Amino acid sequence: SPRPDSVSLAIESQSGGCGVAGSRMTDTRRRVKVYTLNEDRQWDDRGTGHVSSCYVERLKGMSLLVRAESDGSLLLESKINPNTAYQKQQDTLIVWSEAENYDLALSFQEKAGCDEIWEKICQVQGKDPSVDITQDLVDESEEERFDDMSSPGLELPSCELSRLEEIAELVASSLPSPLRREKLALALENEGYIKKLLEIFHVCEDLENIEGLHHLYEIIKGIFLLNRTALFEVMFSEECIMDVIGCLEYDPSLSQSRKHREFLTKTAKFKEVIPISDPELKQKIHQTYRVQYIQDMVLPTPSVFEENMLSTLHSFIFFNKVEIVGMLQEDEKFLTDLFAQLTDEATDEEKRQELVNFLKEFCAFSQTLQPQNRDAFFKTLSNMGILPALEVILGMDDAQVRSAATDIFSYLVEYNPSMVREFVMQEAQQNDDDILLINLIIEHMICDTDPELGGAVLLMGLLRTLVDPENMLATANKTEKTEFLGFFYKHCMHVLTAPLLANTTEDKPSKDDFQTAQLLALILELLTFCVEHHTYHIKNYIINKDILRRVLVLMASKHAFLALCALRFKRKIIGLKDEFYNRYIMKSFLFEPVVKAFLNNGSRYNLMNSAIIEMFEFIRVEDIKSLTAHVIENYWKALEDVDYVQTFKGLKLRFEQQRERQDNPKLDSMRSILRNHRYRRDARTLEDEEEMWFNTDEDDMEDGEAVVPPSDKTKNDEDIIDPISKFMERKKLKESEEKEVLLKTNLSGRQSPSFKLSFSSGTKSNLTSQSSASNLPGSPGSPGSPGSPGSPGSVSKSTSQMAAITTKGGLVGLVDYPDDDEEDDEDEDKEETLPLSKKAKLESS
């Protein structure tokens, strides 16, 4: 080993000297944070600086120095002790212990800096820098070291009271070295040493020899850190485990000993809810509980060096649990008695609570099993009748029992939702809806007394798993999705929506307290999930039960989160672009609550404002013709003054373009002739320029790409920027938009209908026409009478749900939209649509 001064010279020649000034630390390689471990075993940040290494005369050795980058003050001065174990972690961390309870760490900004300092530490200690933890230096030749490794083992001092301090020092000195740790473990195994130590423990307690008890604490703690299963088998045996716990009561760092044995023997009681006949199983349960207690409560929090030294203890507990589950599973008499008593009406409440708690812990233990063993475990429980038993338990009055049963149910759903679905469909053939397992779960969700609805949130997650088509099976003979969803909507959906329907009978929620609002928000969340995933089942339910109208009553809630949930439900429906939903929305005037909430929100720029505008923007961008016409005809008067976004003016422009198209049926036929003959290159494709010309419809006019009248030239890409950017616009292009609408009106020879919005509670319709013919059949005063749609552009005598209202010369007329088939084929309709400018060209020709 080189002398300290020669090492010092070598290191200084590499680093440029000691300290920040001489180390030329303009780069970040040596930039570090200094951490110390506090009494609560948490790392405290002591500051940021630059690390260097040099010989410090005062410390008589090579040292690590860290000077603060802020003021150059000394944050750390630590001698590199030849016997100290340094550990490198995660490539940028060096950790060591200065004293018994004083751990230090350097966290480097860069791996290169960490490697440099690590090399210097290893150089001082004579170690290979490839190791991650330095070991004690052994002052012996290679031959002596080889002989030492091949020797039979370590010779332990005789196990006597007077030599406890010597034994404690031997154990402590052996821990840093893997070789010495191995030798010590073998010696302890072969000589029955642990039992002798525990005999001395009794002597020390009888004599009240506190110093000896403190040494025994250090010895037993050290034996734990040897991480040997064979030693644990001895320490955790029935005859030794309580004495081991006794030794660990006398922690030298505590002023008073702990009473762990008193707690385990007097306070903690083993409840044998069903007699266990197998003594080995009973002993294994006791042992596992006590070892778990040692791990969680008795042993101190491991330090940085010790955290990986208790892995065998974790494994010991893990495999014990696996063994317990296996032994219980094989004991058919035990499980039969368990389920029989669970479902027996004669079982008293206290006994039943103990049985349910045992079953819950049993299921929790099963989570440690391998997948194939877990399959067998739940199959056994299913064959024993766990689901019928849960159904009985959930119907009881005891809240604690029901809570434990809910936890068991969650294990089953997470493991195999198909098994649960199959059971509830079978029981539906024999039982009433009220006592079906899934309805009991819904009722417990609704009746959760927790102000934060913690249980309800858990149960809602389980319901979502059960109704999620993604985890439903499809075989050649049957489709689980079809069968189960048919069952769910027939037998269970009315239970789920009952609180929603009960609370929305008026124009505003009848109960609007926080807990009710939370519950309704949970129900809406699940219904929104159903809208997205269940197609026709939820569509029939919403339309037949008028669910959307009832949901939108919640827009009047004082709780913003609930109003937003209601809006999100409607937005999900509109997002499907389904004309069945659209007709239902228009027939029942279901935009009124949304527009009312928008106006009541005023000029506040908040989530409600953004969400409502985004919904209308979606209708505009996706060009949902029926909803566009409905919104403009009924709510334009209320929305026309909103000019800080272009959404509503854009909707009005869409509406005008639709009317223009309907008023010129000749253009449609001319367009068809041109597309089919003059401009076709062959039967299937168009020339690029012609295709661009014909595919450019009113959507593209907003991009400034189509040929437009002069007033339209002012429009540019800002009109189709994303909705979030539009929310921040203030009166952009207002003047040009008004000119544009005026120009379109002049081109069509029509006048814009003028309406006013009324929110009187006496009528469903919020629209009154200012024309004298407002009460004619088909006018907004009498909406929704069914009629057969006419051809595009023709005037129908009866009103269809898709009818647009127009005004000519003071008379009110009804113009039908294209029929349903044409609207369903939206892409074809977009291809064949001509911009107004092109229609004008054709007319002039």
Side-chain angles (χ1 to χ4, degrees):
S1 160
R3 298 200 331 271
D5 54 344
S6 64
V7 173
S8 169
L9 290 172
I11 291 177
E12 285 186 14
S13 65
Q14 293 173 24
S15 65
C18 185
V20 177
S23 63
R24 298 193 299 272
M25 290 310 301
T26 53
D27 57 32
T28 56
R29 284 179 307 132
R30 301 272 189 89
R31 191 164 183 263
V32 294
K33 273 187 177 293
V34 180
Y35 291 93
T36 59
L37 199 65
N38 62 27
E39 293 179 356
D40 299 324
R41 313 305 294 170
Q42 301 294 322
W43 289 103
D44 291 334
D45 184 353
R46 294 300 183 185
T48 302
H50 291 89
V51 64
S52 60
S53 60
C54 62
Y55 186 82
V56 177
E57 186 65 35
R58 183 176 61 82
L59 298 177
K60 303 295 182 185
M62 290 297 299
S63 304
L64 298 175
L65 287 86
V66 179
R67 293 192 181 275
E69 66 179 1
S70 57
D71 56 7
S73 60
L74 198 62
L75 293 177
L76 174 72
E77 186 180 52
S78 171
K79 180 182 176 182
I80 303 174
N81 194 314
N83 297 319
T84 297
Y86 290 83
Q87 186 174 2
K88 186 169 75 166
Q89 299 176 355
Q90 303 169 2
D91 292 334
T92 57
L93 200 64
I94 296 176
V95 187
W96 71 98
S97 294
E98 287 283 90
E100 186 173 347
N101 291 314
Y102 187 64
D103 290 356
L104 283 160
L106 293 179
S107 177
F108 288 76
Q109 183 169 332
E110 294 185 13
K111 178 180 182 297
C114 183
D115 291 342
E116 283 184 25
I117 295 298
W118 182 251
E119 285 180 16
K120 289 166 186 177
I121 292 171
C122 292
Q123 195 173 8
V124 171
Q125 292 199 345
K127 301 297 177 187
D128 183 348
S130 63
V131 300
D132 286 336
I133 181 169
T134 62
Q135 301 164 12
D136 288 337
L137 285 170
V138 182
D139 201 9
E140 58 193 2
S141 68
E142 290 295 321
E143 291 163 3
E144 288 172 323
R145 185 177 301 180
F146 179 81
D147 292 341
D148 189 33
M149 288 175 65
S150 59
S151 63
L154 189 73
E155 187 176 343
L156 293 168
S158 58
C159 195
E160 299 172 4
L161 179 60
S162 59
R163 305 191 70 177
L164 282 178
E165 184 175 2
E166 184 183 347
I167 298 168
E169 288 178 358
L170 174 65
V171 171
S173 65
S174 299
L175 289 176
S177 166
L179 177 63
R180 291 171 66 83
R181 238 183 7 249
E182 183 74 17
K183 288 182 178 181
L184 177 60
L186 288 172
L188 290 169
E189 287 173 35
N190 296 336
E191 299 182 20
Y193 209 78
I194 292 174
K195 290 184 179 179
K196 295 176 184 175
L197 286 170
L198 297 178
E199 289 172 4
I200 295 179
F201 166 70
H202 286 290
V203 173
C204 287
E205 274 209 316
D206 293 342
L207 298 175
E208 296 184 356
N209 185 339
I210 301 301
E211 184 182 358
L213 291 170
H214 285 170
H215 289 316
L216 282 166
Y217 171 89
E218 297 293 351
I219 294 167
I220 296 297
K221 178 189 168 188
I223 295 174
F224 267 97
L225 296 177
L226 292 176
N227 217 19
R228 297 279 290 203
T229 304
L231 295 177
F232 288 155
E233 293 286 357
V234 176
M235 294 167 73
F236 300 151
S237 64
E238 187 74 22
E239 58 179 315
C240 295
I241 189 166
M242 295 306 287
D243 290 338
V244 168
I245 294 171
C247 290
L248 293 173
E249 290 180 353
Y250 294 96
D251 186 346
S253 63
L254 301 176
S255 57
Q256 196 170 0
S257 64
R258 299 287 177 86
K259 306 292 183 184
H260 296 302
R261 286 171 295 174
E262 185 178 326
F263 172 82
L264 288 171
T265 53
K266 297 180 181 177
T267 309
K269 299 292 183 181
F270 176 65
K271 293 185 177 179
E272 202 170 346
V273 291
I274 301 289
I276 296 174
S277 55
D278 186 349
E280 185 184 351
L281 172 60
K282 192 182 296 187
Q283 189 274 330
K284 189 70 70 177
I285 292 171
H286 283 296
Q287 183 190 59
T288 305
Y289 175 78
R290 288 166 180 170
V291 177
Q292 185 91 57
Y293 181 84
I294 290 173
Q295 183 192 42
D296 296 340
M297 304 300 297
V298 180
L299 285 177
T301 305
S303 71
V304 177
F305 295 110
E306 299 165 349
E307 60 186 6
N308 295 321
M309 291 184 175
L310 294 174
S311 57
T312 306
L313 181 61
H314 300 312
S315 299
F316 187 92
I317 295 169
F318 174 85
F319 288 113
N320 260 21
K321 289 180 177 179
V322 171
E323 217 173 322
I324 290 169
V325 172
M327 293 168 79
L328 285 173
Q329 194 176 328
E330 291 167 8
D331 192 340
E332 288 190 12
K333 183 180 184 305
F334 178 86
L335 289 178
T336 304
D337 291 348
L338 174 67
F339 284 105
Q341 291 191 37
L342 264 177
T343 53
D344 188 353
E345 294 181 1
T347 305
D348 64 76
E349 291 303 314
E350 186 177 352
K351 178 73 169 177
R352 197 186 314 278
Q353 185 175 337
E354 291 174 357
L355 291 165
V356 173
N357 285 334
F358 171 81
L359 187 57
K360 173 185 169 183
E361 193 169 356
F362 191 31
C363 290
F365 270 31
S366 75
Q367 302 305 296
T368 62
L369 298 175
Q370 294 296 317
Q372 63 271 23
N373 296 335
R374 199 180 308 142
D375 286 347
F377 172 79
F378 281 111
K379 198 169 286 183
T380 301
L381 289 188
S382 180
N383 294 338
M384 298 302 297
I386 189 169
L387 285 166
L390 285 179
E391 197 170 42
V392 172
I393 297 165
L394 286 168
M396 296 177 178
D397 296 330
D398 192 322
Q400 286 184 316
V401 169
R402 290 201 311 267
S403 174
T406 300
D407 291 336
I408 298 168
F409 182 71
S410 71
Y411 285 122
L412 296 171
V413 171
E414 288 167 13
Y415 164 70
N416 191 344
S418 290
M419 177 180 76
V420 178
R421 284 191 286 260
E422 186 177 357
F423 170 76
V424 296
M425 284 191 287
Q426 287 176 352
E427 67 165 347
Q429 301 169 5
Q430 304 159 1
N431 298 336
D432 296 334
D433 287 358
D434 292 344
I435 59 172
L436 295 182
L437 176 61
I438 197 165
N439 284 346
L440 290 171
I441 292 294
I442 294 172
E443 286 173 15
H444 290 318
M445 181 194 78
I446 292 169
C447 300
D448 188 6
T449 55
D450 178 10
E452 297 298 324
L453 295 188
V457 171
L458 168 67
L459 293 174
M460 184 59 73
L462 298 178
L463 285 175
R464 174 179 287 205
T465 302
L466 288 175
V467 301
D468 187 354
E470 294 295 321
N471 61 46
M472 295 184 184
L473 305 174
T475 61
N477 300 326
K478 64 174 184 175
T479 303
E480 187 181 16
K481 176 181 176 181
T482 304
E483 290 187 3
F484 181 74
L485 292 184
F487 155 81
F488 183 78
Y489 280 88
K490 181 179 179 182
H491 297 281
C492 309
M493 185 56 97
H494 67 280
V495 182
L496 178 66
T497 56
L500 172 67
L501 297 176
N503 209 37
T504 54
T505 53
E506 306 296 332
D507 292 338
K508 60 181 182 178
S510 50
K511 279 185 70 180
D512 204 19
D513 58 278
F514 180 69
Q515 192 164 351
T516 303
Q518 275 192 308
L519 175 63
L520 295 180
L522 278 177
I523 294 171
L524 279 179
E525 187 179 332
L526 185 59
L527 289 177
T528 305
F529 177 84
C530 293
V531 166
E532 186 175 4
H533 292 91
H534 290 176
T535 60
Y536 65 89
H537 288 96
I538 188 71
K539 186 193 302 181
N540 291 339
Y541 190 81
I542 288 174
I543 294 175
N544 291 335
K545 302 290 185 183
D546 200 14
I547 295 295
L548 180 55
R549 184 178 65 80
R550 304 294 283 272
V551 167
L552 291 175
V553 169
L554 301 176
M555 292 286 292
S557 170
K558 66 184 179 183
H559 299 285
F561 70 88
L562 180 57
L564 286 165
C565 281
L567 184 64
R568 186 160 56 245
F569 179 70
K570 180 172 182 177
R571 173 65 178 81
K572 185 66 72 176
I573 289 174
I574 290 175
L576 297 175
K577 297 190 285 188
D578 186 317
E579 281 303 315
F580 282 101
Y581 277 131
N582 292 347
R583 290 190 186 105
Y584 162 59
I585 289 170
M586 293 185 297
K587 182 179 179 181
S588 300
F589 287 84
L590 295 181
F591 275 102
E592 180 171 335
V594 177
V595 175
K596 188 172 182 178
F598 182 67
L599 297 178
N600 288 341
N601 190 65
S603 59
R604 284 174 292 176
Y605 176 52
N606 54 16
L607 193 54
M608 178 65 73
N609 174 277
S610 300
I612 292 175
I613 291 176
E614 189 278 334
M615 184 171 70
F616 285 111
E617 181 69 11
F618 176 82
I619 295 170
R620 185 194 73 80
V621 170
E622 296 296 324
D623 195 15
I624 305 176
K625 296 178 176 60
S626 54
L627 295 183
T628 299
H630 178 77
V631 170
I632 296 303
E633 289 170 357
N634 293 280
Y635 308 104
W636 172 244
K637 201 67 181 173
L639 300 171
E640 65 177 337
D641 293 332
V642 179
D643 57 2
Y644 53 87
V645 289
Q646 298 303 309
T647 296
F648 301 109
K649 285 185 170 53
L651 273 175
K652 181 71 183 303
L653 182 59
R654 289 270 196 219
F655 174 66
E656 292 292 335
Q657 291 165 349
Q658 290 173 30
R659 292 203 311 177
E660 188 70 24
R661 189 184 313 142
Q662 290 176 342
D663 288 346
N664 294 277
K666 292 180 180 179
L667 287 181
D668 288 341
S669 59
M670 179 68 74
R671 176 184 59 207
S672 178
I673 292 169
L674 291 172
R675 284 176 61 83
N676 289 332
H677 300 288
R678 182 175 175 185
Y679 289 100
R680 282 194 184 276
R681 182 175 65 184
D682 55 40
R684 297 176 62 187
T685 61
L686 294 170
E687 293 293 338
D688 290 345
E689 292 90 354
E690 295 163 357
E691 188 169 28
M692 287 176 62
W693 195 88
F694 278 109
N695 284 345
T696 305
D697 62 3
E698 288 80 3
D699 296 355
D700 304 314
M701 290 176 66
E702 295 186 7
D703 295 334
E705 294 175 358
V707 179
V708 293
S711 60
D712 287 344
K713 299 281 189 184
T714 58
K715 294 182 71 63
N716 54 36
D717 288 342
E718 290 181 19
D719 291 327
I720 56 167
I721 58 177
D722 64 278
I724 297 175
S725 301
K726 287 191 170 191
F727 296 159
M728 301 305 295
E729 292 181 6
R730 292 289 183 251
K731 300 182 178 181
K732 282 187 179 179
L733 302 175
K734 178 177 181 182
E735 186 175 344
S736 61
E737 286 284 355
E738 289 173 352
K739 287 180 181 178
E740 188 175 30
V741 173
L742 181 60
L743 178 61
K744 302 300 179 190
T745 307
N746 292 337
L747 283 172
S748 64
R750 291 185 176 277
Q751 300 173 2
S752 298
S754 178
F755 299 120
K756 63 181 180 181
L757 190 65
S758 169
F759 292 119
S760 60
S761 59
T763 173
K764 268 190 182 180
S765 172
N766 63 343
L767 178 67
T768 57
S769 174
Q770 291 181 345
S771 71
S772 58
S774 61
N775 292 323
L776 289 175
S779 68
S782 56
S785 57
S788 59
S791 61
S794 65
V795 177
S796 174
K797 293 182 179 179
S798 61
T799 309
S800 75
Q801 292 176 350
M802 304 290 294
I805 303 168
T806 60
T807 310
K808 265 187 181 177
L811 295 175
V812 174
L814 298 173
V815 179
D816 288 339
Y817 285 103
D819 60 24
D820 293 343
D821 295 335
E822 185 177 342
E823 289 199 343
D824 289 342
D825 194 2
E826 204 168 310
D827 293 338
E828 183 181 345
D829 181 60
K830 285 185 177 179
E831 279 185 16
E832 295 181 358
T833 302
L834 285 174
L836 293 179
S837 59
K838 293 171 187 170
K839 294 179 182 179
K841 285 182 179 179
L842 291 173
E843 276 188 338
S844 64
S845 64

